[in-house]
Amino acid sequence: MLSRILLDSLTRRLSRKALSVVAVWIGLTLVLALLSLSVDVGDKMNLELRSFGANITVEPLASAIPVDVGGHRLAAEAVPSYLDEAELLKLKAITFFWRNNILGVAPRIRAAGQAKGQDVDLVGVWFDQPVATGSEPLVTGARQVYTHWAVQGAWPTRAEECLVGSAAARRLALAPGDTLALAVGREQLTLKVTGILTSGDKDDGSIIAPLSAVQGLVHAPGKVSSADVSALTTPDNKLAEKYRQDPKALTPDEYDRWYCTPYPGAVAKQVQELIPGSAARVVRRVSETQGMVFSRTKGLIVLLAALTFVVCSLSVTGILTAAVLERRPEMALLQAIGARRADVLVLFLAEMAILGIAGGVLAALTGPLLGRWLVSLVFGSTAELHLAVVLVAPFLGLGLAWAGGLWPVWQAVNQDAAQVLHGN
Amino acid sequence: MVTTQAISVQAVSKIYPGGVHALADVSLEVRQGEWIAIMGPSGSGKTTLLSILNGLDKPTSGQIHVLGTDTHGFGPDDWAVFRRENIGLVFQQFHLIPYLTAVENVMLAQYYHSMPVREQALAALERVQLAGRAHHLPSQLSGGEQQRVCIARALINDPKVVLADEPTGNLDEENEARVLDVFRSLHAEGKTLVVVTHDPEIGCAGERIVALSHGKVSKDTRTAEGERLLSARAVTGEVREHLR
């Protein structure tokens, strides 16, 4: 009997029913598009925020631990120590859990040298280094990791070319196209300056040369002083903060959860475990800024989605109020012949559920598409279709219809049935 | 305790918002199996009294007992359950669900009472001589036929009390006679009938006429039919006494 009433009710006044479905559909399309955007915003913004630089630095353990000798603290530079360059390739190896989160690696080797009779800092880096990843080819190095580097001239493409930091270029009176004779100890090297680098940090005072060239000067082939790693991470939350405060305070379950989440600290710890004799630390300035921007942006989008949901539920309320008002005599009659308020409520909520789910299913088709378009519009890249967003759509449609319809139906079932039946 | 009162109204008043006194200190007793008519001019409070008796409206003050149950403190859901178990309602405007057929409209009352049984619903329609129109929509039925569907719906759960509000108000003479016949048969079966009407013929068909005026009972008289039944009952009582 209930299904008969429902079916008949749904097939009458089709225009009004269609209007309800369209209201849910349009509203949820917007909500789902925003939710899709909020899901994608993390990865997309992380990619955009790579301009802040690497968020993890890997150093030899010996450089990271202060060494006291006879009450004198030795600076790391005083005790040169290196990592194996080949070990860095493990970061993209299939065996590393976070390999897909590693966006780029920029190893460095430092040396103190002389040019034009003046002391200079020499930094060896990868500029564009192809790395075999097992799945897809990856080219990484300074050009990919230090996206904030501005080069006037051209990036080096050959082993005998280099960049000169803007401050060093002024000091040494160098310009693109000049030749630079470098000396490190007894070793000599002549490089052609292809560009002037402006980084905004201490690299502005350095000569940036190919890694292999500097390794040769310091007699450390296949060695690096440190590596900057750009990784896709998720912002720290209370759990990550708890680990930072005291790793031992985490329960085993919490630790597992922390370890399997790409918090900057968790990724750094696993990088450190991967590379023997290394110490990986999070560049807090970068990761916290990324986290803050990401959290606020995501929060804003989720807030917009929630507000859109509320606004849509209000419009659904308007449509359903009119529909319910029309059917007040029917509701009064049901109560007169023995239906409790809950019975009437169930009948009308079931009808609204069908309309809401129908709108939700339609929105499941259009919402993610709109979300993809928004992602391409905002970030200029394509977004994945998120199955979770599609699956949640009918439930959101149900929630939207109920949120919009509950109040008018509740008002109607609490009406003065006697007055309604007398046509007042 | 076995009560012989089907309905007991004690000092009931109803004041609508704005201070309109629809009922003022009305008291009334209706015996089980009795058929009373409530009559009076428009605005006298007839319909308000009936709405209070069926629980769709609440009195401002006073007490109502129906079938020995004190309804004081009943909420809308308590009344809904009580109605479906004990009271059948007949409306002047019929109030049939337009998209359900005649038999489905009858079954709807069964649905909220226990479970819909089509054969029983058809039997109820047969009783009001509408078996042939069972599968018609209300829009395909005449006013008289719709009213009989409404009566079949009121009777389907075998209520002890039937409350009817102007049941013949929208009917022609022929249909009025048919409705009256149904009420007579209900009365003969021992149902308690309270019928609000303007129609003297309907009023006189019952045992008592309670006249309302300005929200008060102005007259409570026994009809000729009521006197006849009273005598018959008295004779029956004497015979029983004699036989004992």
Side-chain angles (χ1 to χ4, degrees), chain A residues 1-2 4-5 8 12 330 333-336 338-341 343 416 418-419 421-422, chain B residues 16 47 51 56 77 80 83-84 89 91 93 95 97 99 104 107-108 111-112 153 165:
Chain A
M1 179 60 71
L2 190 67
R4 173 85 170 89
I5 294 173
D8 278 311
R12 284 180 314 119
E330 192 180 322
L333 172 73
L334 293 179
Q335 289 177 283
R340 291 166 302 175
R341 287 174 298 175
D343 298 325
D416 187 338
Q419 294 295 319
L421 288 173
H422 287 114
Chain B
Y16 284 113
T47 298
S51 295
L56 291 174
D77 294 336
R83 264 195 305 274
R84 70 192 182 199
L89 297 180
F91 305 100
Q93 286 92 4
H95 292 304
I97 304 279
Y99 51 87
E104 286 169 338
M107 288 164 70
L108 189 60
Y111 175 78
Y112 286 113
R153 182 179 62 192
D165 186 6

mmCIF file of all heavy atoms in Angstrom, chain A residues 1-2 4-5 8 12 330 333-336 338-341 343 416 418-419 421-422, chain B residues 16 47 51 56 77 80 83-84 89 91 93 95 97 99 104 107-108 111-112 153 165:
data_model
loop_
_atom_site.group_PDB
_atom_site.id
_atom_site.type_symbol
_atom_site.label_atom_id
_atom_site.label_comp_id
_atom_site.label_asym_id
_atom_site.label_seq_id
_atom_site.Cartn_x
_atom_site.Cartn_y
_atom_site.Cartn_z
ATOM 1 N N MET A 1 0.845 -1.204 0.000
ATOM 2 C CA MET A 1 0.000 0.000 0.000
ATOM 3 C C MET A 1 0.881 1.256 0.000
ATOM 4 O O MET A 1 0.645 2.191 -0.742
ATOM 5 C CB MET A 1 -0.904 -0.030 1.245
ATOM 6 C CG MET A 1 -1.821 1.174 1.397
ATOM 7 S SD MET A 1 -2.984 1.455 0.050
ATOM 8 C CE MET A 1 -4.114 0.108 0.284
ATOM 9 N N LEU A 2 1.928 1.203 0.842
ATOM 10 C CA LEU A 2 2.836 2.351 0.907
ATOM 11 C C LEU A 2 3.508 2.590 -0.448
ATOM 12 O O LEU A 2 3.602 3.730 -0.922
ATOM 13 C CB LEU A 2 3.901 2.103 1.980
ATOM 14 C CG LEU A 2 4.777 3.290 2.344
ATOM 15 C CD1 LEU A 2 3.966 4.362 3.037
ATOM 16 C CD2 LEU A 2 5.922 2.854 3.235
ATOM 17 N N ARG A 4 2.385 1.708 -3.320
ATOM 18 C CA ARG A 4 1.350 2.177 -4.266
ATOM 19 C C ARG A 4 1.144 3.684 -4.108
ATOM 20 O O ARG A 4 1.099 4.423 -5.091
ATOM 21 C CB ARG A 4 0.055 1.415 -3.963
ATOM 22 C CG ARG A 4 -1.150 1.885 -4.725
ATOM 23 C CD ARG A 4 -1.230 1.228 -6.080
ATOM 24 N NE ARG A 4 -2.507 1.497 -6.721
ATOM 25 C CZ ARG A 4 -2.740 2.543 -7.500
ATOM 26 N NH1 ARG A 4 -1.794 3.404 -7.738
ATOM 27 N NH2 ARG A 4 -3.931 2.721 -8.056
ATOM 28 N N ILE A 5 1.060 4.125 -2.854
ATOM 29 C CA ILE A 5 0.877 5.556 -2.600
ATOM 30 C C ILE A 5 2.078 6.326 -3.120
ATOM 31 O O ILE A 5 1.954 7.364 -3.773
ATOM 32 C CB ILE A 5 0.661 5.813 -1.087
ATOM 33 C CG1 ILE A 5 -0.650 5.197 -0.635
ATOM 34 C CG2 ILE A 5 0.689 7.303 -0.788
ATOM 35 C CD1 ILE A 5 -0.878 5.257 0.859
ATOM 36 N N ASP A 8 2.141 6.401 -6.991
ATOM 37 C CA ASP A 8 1.132 7.327 -7.517
ATOM 38 C C ASP A 8 1.511 8.767 -7.250
ATOM 39 O O ASP A 8 1.359 9.632 -8.107
ATOM 40 C CB ASP A 8 -0.222 7.019 -6.873
ATOM 41 C CG ASP A 8 -0.910 5.869 -7.580
ATOM 42 O OD1 ASP A 8 -0.994 5.897 -8.812
ATOM 43 O OD2 ASP A 8 -1.333 4.936 -6.899
ATOM 44 N N ARG A 12 2.387 11.834 -10.156
ATOM 45 C CA ARG A 12 1.500 12.990 -10.330
ATOM 46 C C ARG A 12 2.309 14.272 -10.196
ATOM 47 O O ARG A 12 3.352 14.294 -9.579
ATOM 48 C CB ARG A 12 0.399 12.982 -9.258
ATOM 49 C CG ARG A 12 -0.684 11.960 -9.534
ATOM 50 C CD ARG A 12 -1.728 11.978 -8.467
ATOM 51 N NE ARG A 12 -1.149 12.001 -7.143
ATOM 52 C CZ ARG A 12 -1.352 12.980 -6.268
ATOM 53 N NH1 ARG A 12 -2.110 13.999 -6.560
ATOM 54 N NH2 ARG A 12 -0.783 12.930 -5.080
ATOM 55 N N GLU A 330 -4.359 15.787 2.388
ATOM 56 C CA GLU A 330 -4.036 14.357 2.332
ATOM 57 C C GLU A 330 -3.383 13.914 3.642
ATOM 58 O O GLU A 330 -3.698 12.853 4.198
ATOM 59 C CB GLU A 330 -3.080 14.135 1.168
ATOM 60 C CG GLU A 330 -2.854 12.709 0.789
ATOM 61 C CD GLU A 330 -1.893 12.601 -0.380
ATOM 62 O OE1 GLU A 330 -1.949 13.445 -1.299
ATOM 63 O OE2 GLU A 330 -1.074 11.686 -0.347
ATOM 64 N N LEU A 333 -5.948 13.839 6.356
ATOM 65 C CA LEU A 333 -6.814 12.672 6.231
ATOM 66 C C LEU A 333 -6.121 11.424 6.785
ATOM 67 O O LEU A 333 -6.731 10.640 7.524
ATOM 68 C CB LEU A 333 -7.194 12.433 4.769
ATOM 69 C CG LEU A 333 -7.931 11.112 4.575
ATOM 70 C CD1 LEU A 333 -9.335 11.195 5.123
ATOM 71 C CD2 LEU A 333 -7.926 10.654 3.154
ATOM 72 N N LEU A 334 -4.847 11.260 6.423
ATOM 73 C CA LEU A 334 -4.108 10.087 6.910
ATOM 74 C C LEU A 334 -4.116 10.059 8.430
ATOM 75 O O LEU A 334 -4.296 9.004 9.048
ATOM 76 C CB LEU A 334 -2.677 10.093 6.375
ATOM 77 C CG LEU A 334 -2.520 9.907 4.855
ATOM 78 C CD1 LEU A 334 -1.054 9.967 4.457
ATOM 79 C CD2 LEU A 334 -3.129 8.589 4.399
ATOM 80 N N GLN A 335 -3.924 11.225 9.027
ATOM 81 C CA GLN A 335 -3.947 11.285 10.502
ATOM 82 C C GLN A 335 -5.351 10.979 11.017
ATOM 83 O O GLN A 335 -5.507 10.317 12.038
ATOM 84 C CB GLN A 335 -3.466 12.656 10.979
ATOM 85 C CG GLN A 335 -1.960 12.846 10.748
ATOM 86 C CD GLN A 335 -1.494 14.227 11.149
ATOM 87 O OE1 GLN A 335 -1.705 15.189 10.431
ATOM 88 N NE2 GLN A 335 -0.868 14.323 12.296
ATOM 89 N N ALA A 336 -6.377 11.471 10.289
ATOM 90 C CA ALA A 336 -7.758 11.241 10.739
ATOM 91 C C ALA A 336 -8.116 9.761 10.710
ATOM 92 O O ALA A 336 -8.883 9.286 11.541
ATOM 93 C CB ALA A 336 -8.719 12.031 9.850
ATOM 94 N N GLY A 338 -6.060 7.353 11.229
ATOM 95 C CA GLY A 338 -5.266 6.557 12.168
ATOM 96 C C GLY A 338 -3.770 6.557 11.980
ATOM 97 O O GLY A 338 -3.064 5.828 12.681
ATOM 98 N N ALA A 339 -3.248 7.349 11.040
ATOM 99 C CA ALA A 339 -1.789 7.388 10.866
ATOM 100 C C ALA A 339 -1.175 8.289 11.933
ATOM 101 O O ALA A 339 -1.674 9.399 12.178
ATOM 102 C CB ALA A 339 -1.436 7.923 9.487
ATOM 103 N N ARG A 340 -0.146 7.797 12.579
ATOM 104 C CA ARG A 340 0.577 8.653 13.517
ATOM 105 C C ARG A 340 1.426 9.638 12.717
ATOM 106 O O ARG A 340 1.665 9.438 11.523
ATOM 107 C CB ARG A 340 1.469 7.808 14.432
ATOM 108 C CG ARG A 340 0.674 6.950 15.417
ATOM 109 C CD ARG A 340 1.549 5.921 16.040
ATOM 110 N NE ARG A 340 2.129 5.090 15.002
ATOM 111 C CZ ARG A 340 3.025 4.140 15.205
ATOM 112 N NH1 ARG A 340 3.456 3.917 16.411
ATOM 113 N NH2 ARG A 340 3.492 3.424 14.218
ATOM 114 N N ARG A 341 1.902 10.652 13.395
ATOM 115 C CA ARG A 341 2.725 11.652 12.687
ATOM 116 C C ARG A 341 3.949 11.000 12.066
ATOM 117 O O ARG A 341 4.348 11.335 10.946
ATOM 118 C CB ARG A 341 3.152 12.765 13.668
ATOM 119 C CG ARG A 341 2.010 13.694 14.029
ATOM 120 C CD ARG A 341 2.415 14.667 15.093
ATOM 121 N NE ARG A 341 2.785 13.979 16.329
ATOM 122 C CZ ARG A 341 3.270 14.576 17.417
ATOM 123 N NH1 ARG A 341 3.459 15.874 17.398
ATOM 124 N NH2 ARG A 341 3.555 13.886 18.489
ATOM 125 N N ASP A 343 4.145 8.019 10.902
ATOM 126 C CA ASP A 343 3.735 7.278 9.696
ATOM 127 C C ASP A 343 3.692 8.219 8.490
ATOM 128 O O ASP A 343 4.146 7.880 7.400
ATOM 129 C CB ASP A 343 2.361 6.640 9.900
ATOM 130 C CG ASP A 343 2.356 5.615 11.029
ATOM 131 O OD1 ASP A 343 3.373 4.925 11.186
ATOM 132 O OD2 ASP A 343 1.344 5.527 11.740
ATOM 133 N N ASP A 416 -3.170 21.770 12.368
ATOM 134 C CA ASP A 416 -4.482 21.533 12.947
ATOM 135 C C ASP A 416 -5.294 20.754 11.913
ATOM 136 O O ASP A 416 -5.876 21.326 10.988
ATOM 137 C CB ASP A 416 -5.146 22.878 13.276
ATOM 138 C CG ASP A 416 -6.448 22.698 14.030
ATOM 139 O OD1 ASP A 416 -7.031 21.598 13.927
ATOM 140 O OD2 ASP A 416 -6.877 23.647 14.703
ATOM 141 N N ALA A 418 -8.074 19.217 11.977
ATOM 142 C CA ALA A 418 -9.509 19.496 11.883
ATOM 143 C C ALA A 418 -9.759 20.687 10.959
ATOM 144 O O ALA A 418 -10.646 20.661 10.096
ATOM 145 C CB ALA A 418 -10.071 19.776 13.276
ATOM 146 N N GLN A 419 -8.954 21.729 11.144
ATOM 147 C CA GLN A 419 -9.113 22.928 10.310
ATOM 148 C C GLN A 419 -8.826 22.621 8.848
ATOM 149 O O GLN A 419 -9.516 23.110 7.954
ATOM 150 C CB GLN A 419 -8.171 24.038 10.810
ATOM 151 C CG GLN A 419 -8.510 24.568 12.184
ATOM 152 C CD GLN A 419 -9.874 25.277 12.196
ATOM 153 O OE1 GLN A 419 -10.201 26.005 11.282
ATOM 154 N NE2 GLN A 419 -10.662 25.015 13.230
ATOM 155 N N LEU A 421 -9.097 19.751 7.297
ATOM 156 C CA LEU A 421 -10.150 18.923 6.711
ATOM 157 C C LEU A 421 -11.429 19.719 6.454
ATOM 158 O O LEU A 421 -12.247 19.334 5.623
ATOM 159 C CB LEU A 421 -10.460 17.732 7.636
ATOM 160 C CG LEU A 421 -9.367 16.659 7.658
ATOM 161 C CD1 LEU A 421 -9.653 15.603 8.717
ATOM 162 C CD2 LEU A 421 -9.242 15.982 6.291
ATOM 163 N N HIS A 422 -11.561 20.835 7.168
ATOM 164 C CA HIS A 422 -12.718 21.695 6.899
ATOM 165 C C HIS A 422 -12.395 22.760 5.865
ATOM 166 O O HIS A 422 -13.169 23.674 5.648
ATOM 167 C CB HIS A 422 -13.214 22.337 8.197
ATOM 168 C CG HIS A 422 -13.914 21.367 9.072
ATOM 169 N ND1 HIS A 422 -13.435 20.966 10.303
ATOM 170 C CD2 HIS A 422 -15.032 20.633 8.862
ATOM 171 C CE1 HIS A 422 -14.240 20.064 10.819
ATOM 172 N NE2 HIS A 422 -15.210 19.839 9.963
ATOM 173 N N TYR B 16 -11.097 29.690 20.512
ATOM 174 C CA TYR B 16 -10.090 29.789 19.460
ATOM 175 C C TYR B 16 -9.236 31.036 19.680
ATOM 176 O O TYR B 16 -9.670 31.976 20.364
ATOM 177 C CB TYR B 16 -10.766 29.863 18.082
ATOM 178 C CG TYR B 16 -11.279 28.520 17.610
ATOM 179 C CD1 TYR B 16 -12.655 28.285 17.488
ATOM 180 C CD2 TYR B 16 -10.407 27.489 17.304
ATOM 181 C CE1 TYR B 16 -13.133 27.051 17.069
ATOM 182 C CE2 TYR B 16 -10.879 26.251 16.886
ATOM 183 C CZ TYR B 16 -12.239 26.038 16.766
ATOM 184 O OH TYR B 16 -12.699 24.816 16.363
ATOM 185 N N THR B 47 -19.601 21.392 14.511
ATOM 186 C CA THR B 47 -18.413 20.759 13.929
ATOM 187 C C THR B 47 -17.247 20.778 14.909
ATOM 188 O O THR B 47 -16.474 19.822 14.994
ATOM 189 C CB THR B 47 -18.041 21.472 12.621
ATOM 190 O OG1 THR B 47 -19.124 21.316 11.711
ATOM 191 C CG2 THR B 47 -16.793 20.892 12.004
ATOM 192 N N SER B 51 -15.173 17.594 16.160
ATOM 193 C CA SER B 51 -13.711 17.524 16.027
ATOM 194 C C SER B 51 -13.046 17.235 17.366
ATOM 195 O O SER B 51 -12.007 16.568 17.426
ATOM 196 C CB SER B 51 -13.163 18.845 15.476
ATOM 197 O OG SER B 51 -13.639 19.052 14.178
ATOM 198 N N LEU B 56 -9.357 15.350 16.679
ATOM 199 C CA LEU B 56 -8.603 16.174 15.718
ATOM 200 C C LEU B 56 -8.458 17.600 16.235
ATOM 201 O O LEU B 56 -7.660 18.371 15.728
ATOM 202 C CB LEU B 56 -9.302 16.177 14.346
ATOM 203 C CG LEU B 56 -9.259 14.835 13.603
ATOM 204 C CD1 LEU B 56 -10.090 14.889 12.328
ATOM 205 C CD2 LEU B 56 -7.827 14.433 13.277
ATOM 206 N N ASP B 77 -0.657 11.532 18.435
ATOM 207 C CA ASP B 77 -0.413 10.131 18.073
ATOM 208 C C ASP B 77 -1.285 9.175 18.900
ATOM 209 O O ASP B 77 -1.741 8.152 18.395
ATOM 210 C CB ASP B 77 1.069 9.790 18.247
ATOM 211 C CG ASP B 77 1.941 10.553 17.257
ATOM 212 O OD1 ASP B 77 1.416 10.952 16.194
ATOM 213 O OD2 ASP B 77 3.118 10.767 17.550
ATOM 214 N N ALA B 80 -4.513 9.269 17.255
ATOM 215 C CA ALA B 80 -4.503 8.553 15.969
ATOM 216 C C ALA B 80 -4.709 7.061 16.208
ATOM 217 O O ALA B 80 -5.502 6.402 15.525
ATOM 218 C CB ALA B 80 -3.187 8.810 15.237
ATOM 219 N N ARG B 83 -8.290 6.448 17.458
ATOM 220 C CA ARG B 83 -9.271 6.575 16.371
ATOM 221 C C ARG B 83 -9.304 5.323 15.502
ATOM 222 O O ARG B 83 -10.361 4.817 15.173
ATOM 223 C CB ARG B 83 -8.903 7.786 15.481
ATOM 224 C CG ARG B 83 -9.631 9.067 15.824
ATOM 225 C CD ARG B 83 -9.494 10.087 14.717
ATOM 226 N NE ARG B 83 -8.119 10.365 14.373
ATOM 227 C CZ ARG B 83 -7.351 11.254 14.968
ATOM 228 N NH1 ARG B 83 -7.841 11.964 15.964
ATOM 229 N NH2 ARG B 83 -6.119 11.441 14.584
ATOM 230 N N ARG B 84 -8.087 4.862 15.126
ATOM 231 C CA ARG B 84 -8.096 3.739 14.187
ATOM 232 C C ARG B 84 -8.641 2.463 14.821
ATOM 233 O O ARG B 84 -9.113 1.570 14.134
ATOM 234 C CB ARG B 84 -6.709 3.517 13.598
ATOM 235 C CG ARG B 84 -5.662 2.964 14.539
ATOM 236 C CD ARG B 84 -4.307 3.080 13.888
ATOM 237 N NE ARG B 84 -3.255 2.516 14.713
ATOM 238 C CZ ARG B 84 -1.964 2.810 14.557
ATOM 239 N NH1 ARG B 84 -1.586 3.659 13.630
ATOM 240 N NH2 ARG B 84 -1.064 2.255 15.316
ATOM 241 N N LEU B 89 -14.789 7.783 10.884
ATOM 242 C CA LEU B 89 -15.137 9.174 10.578
ATOM 243 C C LEU B 89 -15.749 9.280 9.185
ATOM 244 O O LEU B 89 -15.226 8.709 8.227
ATOM 245 C CB LEU B 89 -13.891 10.068 10.639
ATOM 246 C CG LEU B 89 -13.184 10.188 11.995
ATOM 247 C CD1 LEU B 89 -11.971 11.103 11.876
ATOM 248 C CD2 LEU B 89 -14.142 10.726 13.043
ATOM 249 N N PHE B 91 -16.956 12.244 6.466
ATOM 250 C CA PHE B 91 -16.789 13.684 6.237
ATOM 251 C C PHE B 91 -17.794 14.197 5.205
ATOM 252 O O PHE B 91 -18.182 13.475 4.277
ATOM 253 C CB PHE B 91 -15.382 13.982 5.705
ATOM 254 C CG PHE B 91 -14.278 13.450 6.575
ATOM 255 C CD1 PHE B 91 -13.636 12.261 6.254
ATOM 256 C CD2 PHE B 91 -13.887 14.128 7.714
ATOM 257 C CE1 PHE B 91 -12.625 11.765 7.041
ATOM 258 C CE2 PHE B 91 -12.865 13.634 8.518
ATOM 259 C CZ PHE B 91 -12.228 12.441 8.183
ATOM 260 N N GLN B 93 -17.031 16.421 2.998
ATOM 261 C CA GLN B 93 -16.315 16.536 1.700
ATOM 262 C C GLN B 93 -15.660 15.214 1.288
ATOM 263 O O GLN B 93 -14.801 15.211 0.418
ATOM 264 C CB GLN B 93 -15.241 17.620 1.783
ATOM 265 C CG GLN B 93 -15.764 19.042 1.777
ATOM 266 C CD GLN B 93 -15.986 19.567 3.185
ATOM 267 O OE1 GLN B 93 -15.678 18.882 4.173
ATOM 268 N NE2 GLN B 93 -16.551 20.755 3.284
ATOM 269 N N HIS B 95 -13.225 13.465 1.425
ATOM 270 C CA HIS B 95 -11.767 13.345 1.625
ATOM 271 C C HIS B 95 -11.226 11.990 1.186
ATOM 272 O O HIS B 95 -10.600 11.263 1.972
ATOM 273 C CB HIS B 95 -11.396 13.608 3.088
ATOM 274 C CG HIS B 95 -11.615 15.029 3.490
ATOM 275 N ND1 HIS B 95 -11.036 16.083 2.821
ATOM 276 C CD2 HIS B 95 -12.358 15.569 4.482
ATOM 277 C CE1 HIS B 95 -11.408 17.213 3.396
ATOM 278 N NE2 HIS B 95 -12.215 16.936 4.400
ATOM 279 N N ILE B 97 -8.585 9.911 -1.267
ATOM 280 C CA ILE B 97 -7.304 10.167 -1.945
ATOM 281 C C ILE B 97 -7.560 10.051 -3.452
ATOM 282 O O ILE B 97 -7.994 8.993 -3.930
ATOM 283 C CB ILE B 97 -6.227 9.146 -1.516
ATOM 284 C CG1 ILE B 97 -6.047 9.153 -0.003
ATOM 285 C CG2 ILE B 97 -4.910 9.404 -2.250
ATOM 286 C CD1 ILE B 97 -5.193 10.226 0.573
ATOM 287 N N TYR B 99 -5.882 9.719 -6.156
ATOM 288 C CA TYR B 99 -5.184 8.813 -7.062
ATOM 289 C C TYR B 99 -5.318 7.347 -6.648
ATOM 290 O O TYR B 99 -4.685 6.479 -7.247
ATOM 291 C CB TYR B 99 -3.703 9.201 -7.186
ATOM 292 C CG TYR B 99 -2.984 9.373 -5.878
ATOM 293 C CD1 TYR B 99 -2.394 8.297 -5.232
ATOM 294 C CD2 TYR B 99 -2.896 10.631 -5.287
ATOM 295 C CE1 TYR B 99 -1.737 8.463 -4.036
ATOM 296 C CE2 TYR B 99 -2.241 10.803 -4.077
ATOM 297 C CZ TYR B 99 -1.658 9.716 -3.457
ATOM 298 O OH TYR B 99 -1.011 9.878 -2.267
ATOM 299 N N GLU B 104 -9.025 0.885 -2.871
ATOM 300 C CA GLU B 104 -7.740 1.248 -2.254
ATOM 301 C C GLU B 104 -7.930 2.304 -1.172
ATOM 302 O O GLU B 104 -7.231 2.293 -0.145
ATOM 303 C CB GLU B 104 -6.773 1.753 -3.325
ATOM 304 C CG GLU B 104 -6.236 0.622 -4.200
ATOM 305 C CD GLU B 104 -5.487 1.128 -5.414
ATOM 306 O OE1 GLU B 104 -5.708 2.293 -5.822
ATOM 307 O OE2 GLU B 104 -4.692 0.363 -5.963
ATOM 308 N N MET B 107 -8.936 0.378 1.720
ATOM 309 C CA MET B 107 -7.803 -0.403 2.251
ATOM 310 C C MET B 107 -6.799 0.479 2.994
ATOM 311 O O MET B 107 -6.069 0.000 3.864
ATOM 312 C CB MET B 107 -7.098 -1.133 1.096
ATOM 313 C CG MET B 107 -7.915 -2.296 0.538
ATOM 314 S SD MET B 107 -7.317 -2.832 -1.072
ATOM 315 C CE MET B 107 -5.765 -3.568 -0.631
ATOM 316 N N LEU B 108 -6.758 1.754 2.634
ATOM 317 C CA LEU B 108 -5.819 2.663 3.298
ATOM 318 C C LEU B 108 -6.078 2.711 4.807
ATOM 319 O O LEU B 108 -5.159 2.730 5.620
ATOM 320 C CB LEU B 108 -5.951 4.068 2.682
ATOM 321 C CG LEU B 108 -4.919 5.097 3.086
ATOM 322 C CD1 LEU B 108 -3.517 4.649 2.704
ATOM 323 C CD2 LEU B 108 -5.230 6.443 2.436
ATOM 324 N N TYR B 111 -4.719 -0.300 6.298
ATOM 325 C CA TYR B 111 -3.256 -0.264 6.357
ATOM 326 C C TYR B 111 -2.782 0.327 7.687
ATOM 327 O O TYR B 111 -1.858 -0.180 8.314
ATOM 328 C CB TYR B 111 -2.708 0.554 5.182
ATOM 329 C CG TYR B 111 -1.215 0.747 5.221
ATOM 330 C CD1 TYR B 111 -0.348 -0.279 4.839
ATOM 331 C CD2 TYR B 111 -0.666 1.946 5.650
ATOM 332 C CE1 TYR B 111 1.018 -0.110 4.890
ATOM 333 C CE2 TYR B 111 0.703 2.130 5.697
ATOM 334 C CZ TYR B 111 1.541 1.099 5.318
ATOM 335 O OH TYR B 111 2.898 1.270 5.375
ATOM 336 N N TYR B 112 -3.429 1.396 8.104
ATOM 337 C CA TYR B 112 -2.986 2.034 9.360
ATOM 338 C C TYR B 112 -3.577 1.345 10.593
ATOM 339 O O TYR B 112 -3.166 1.627 11.707
ATOM 340 C CB TYR B 112 -3.330 3.527 9.337
ATOM 341 C CG TYR B 112 -2.408 4.296 8.402
ATOM 342 C CD1 TYR B 112 -2.885 4.879 7.246
ATOM 343 C CD2 TYR B 112 -1.049 4.376 8.678
ATOM 344 C CE1 TYR B 112 -2.028 5.553 6.387
ATOM 345 C CE2 TYR B 112 -0.185 5.039 7.825
ATOM 346 C CZ TYR B 112 -0.678 5.624 6.679
ATOM 347 O OH TYR B 112 0.180 6.276 5.831
ATOM 348 N N ARG B 153 -14.998 3.216 4.189
ATOM 349 C CA ARG B 153 -13.679 3.395 4.806
ATOM 350 C C ARG B 153 -13.827 3.559 6.329
ATOM 351 O O ARG B 153 -13.019 3.045 7.101
ATOM 352 C CB ARG B 153 -12.994 4.631 4.203
ATOM 353 C CG ARG B 153 -11.587 4.878 4.738
ATOM 354 C CD ARG B 153 -10.967 6.101 4.083
ATOM 355 N NE ARG B 153 -11.735 7.308 4.394
ATOM 356 C CZ ARG B 153 -11.559 8.476 3.770
ATOM 357 N NH1 ARG B 153 -10.671 8.595 2.806
ATOM 358 N NH2 ARG B 153 -12.284 9.524 4.103
ATOM 359 N N ASP B 165 -19.911 14.031 9.971
ATOM 360 C CA ASP B 165 -20.085 15.479 9.894
ATOM 361 C C ASP B 165 -20.822 15.816 8.596
ATOM 362 O O ASP B 165 -20.239 15.711 7.508
ATOM 363 C CB ASP B 165 -18.709 16.158 9.911
ATOM 364 C CG ASP B 165 -18.816 17.668 9.985
ATOM 365 O OD1 ASP B 165 -19.947 18.175 10.141
ATOM 366 O OD2 ASP B 165 -17.777 18.338 9.862
#
